[in-house]
Amino acid sequence: KRKKAREVRGKKQDAMVACLRQLSAMLKSGMPLLQSLDFLIQQTEDKGLALVLRQIKTDVQGGLSLSASFDRYPGWFEPLVLNLTEAGEASGNLDTCLGYAAEAMSKRKTLQSKLVAAITYPCLMLMLGTLVLIFLMAKVIPQITEILLDQNKALPWSTQLLVSKIGRASCRERV
């Protein structure tokens, strides 16, 4: 039974993409899996990933498939990677499938970054607009209303409606 995998993010995701790309390239060049894992363990700067890779190497040496070993670390290997690794093992194209997994993770990260950037600006503008509206309703409209009332000018119906919604007692008394 497969553990509940979750999406890998941030620096962990960057390290995983680099690891999968390197593993794919080494396997494609004909390097054996265990030797490739040794190389990755030595090369990775992420201590957590290096520890996981050591455990994976031990699992593979013990007869576990690479995908089954990946499945033991759901915090590091998301479902896409697990499924592509299984497909690669079954088809004999592990190197290609690991390359696809790395590329898919990289593209998703790029898309997520673009999405966050695209959403951030409108959200900031909405918040700024709301603050400006609150300021206008709380400070400016009552002051303008007071000035108009002091000059004995009739307030337009829209201004009367705003003043009644604001609930300023001093403005309502004169309207």
Side-chain angles (χ1 to χ4, degrees):
K1 189 175 179 181
R2 200 171 255 181
K3 294 177 185 173
K4 178 80 173 154
R6 60 176 190 222
E7 190 175 299
V8 180
R9 294 185 178 204
K11 291 182 181 181
K12 198 180 208 184
Q13 184 180 23
D14 293 339
M16 184 53 57
V17 168
C19 176
L20 290 173
R21 282 190 175 139
Q22 288 177 336
L23 185 57
S24 172
M26 288 184 280
L27 293 175
K28 198 170 284 191
S29 72
M31 187 182 286
L33 179 59
L34 291 174
Q35 189 178 350
S36 299
L37 289 171
D38 269 334
F39 182 78
L40 286 174
I41 291 166
Q42 293 170 6
Q43 293 297 321
T44 188
E45 294 177 6
D46 187 313
K47 293 185 189 295
L49 180 57
L51 182 64
V52 168
L53 289 172
R54 276 190 204 92
Q55 289 298 316
I56 289 170
K57 181 183 174 211
T58 303
D59 292 344
V60 171
Q61 282 175 326
L64 211 57
S65 69
L66 185 63
S67 61
S69 185
F70 282 179
D71 194 27
R72 294 183 63 206
Y73 303 96
W76 283 95
F77 299 96
E78 52 192 58
L80 173 72
V81 175
L82 295 173
N83 293 333
L84 283 171
T85 303
E86 282 179 2
E89 289 171 335
S91 67
N93 294 319
L94 183 59
D95 57 344
T96 305
C97 289
L98 290 174
Y100 289 152
E103 191 62 29
M105 286 178 71
S106 178
K107 284 182 180 180
R108 187 183 63 226
K109 182 176 181 182
T110 302
L111 181 63
Q112 285 174 334
S113 298
K114 288 180 181 180
L115 186 62
V116 167
I119 289 174
T120 301
Y121 182 75
C123 287
L124 288 174
M125 291 298 106
L126 180 64
M127 289 185 336
L128 181 63
T130 302
L131 290 174
V132 167
L133 186 62
I134 290 170
F135 174 76
L136 288 173
M137 296 289 284
K139 297 287 182 185
V140 176
I141 298 292
Q143 288 176 358
I144 291 174
T145 303
E146 289 294 327
I147 292 170
L148 289 174
L149 290 174
D150 286 344
Q151 295 176 358
N152 291 327
K153 300 218 175 177
L155 294 176
W157 70 269
S158 58
T159 306
Q160 289 177 11
L161 180 66
L162 275 176
V163 169
S164 70
K165 295 295 179 192
I166 293 172
R168 294 282 182 181
S170 62
C171 294
R172 268 194 297 205
E173 289 172 1
R174 294 183 164 196
V175 174

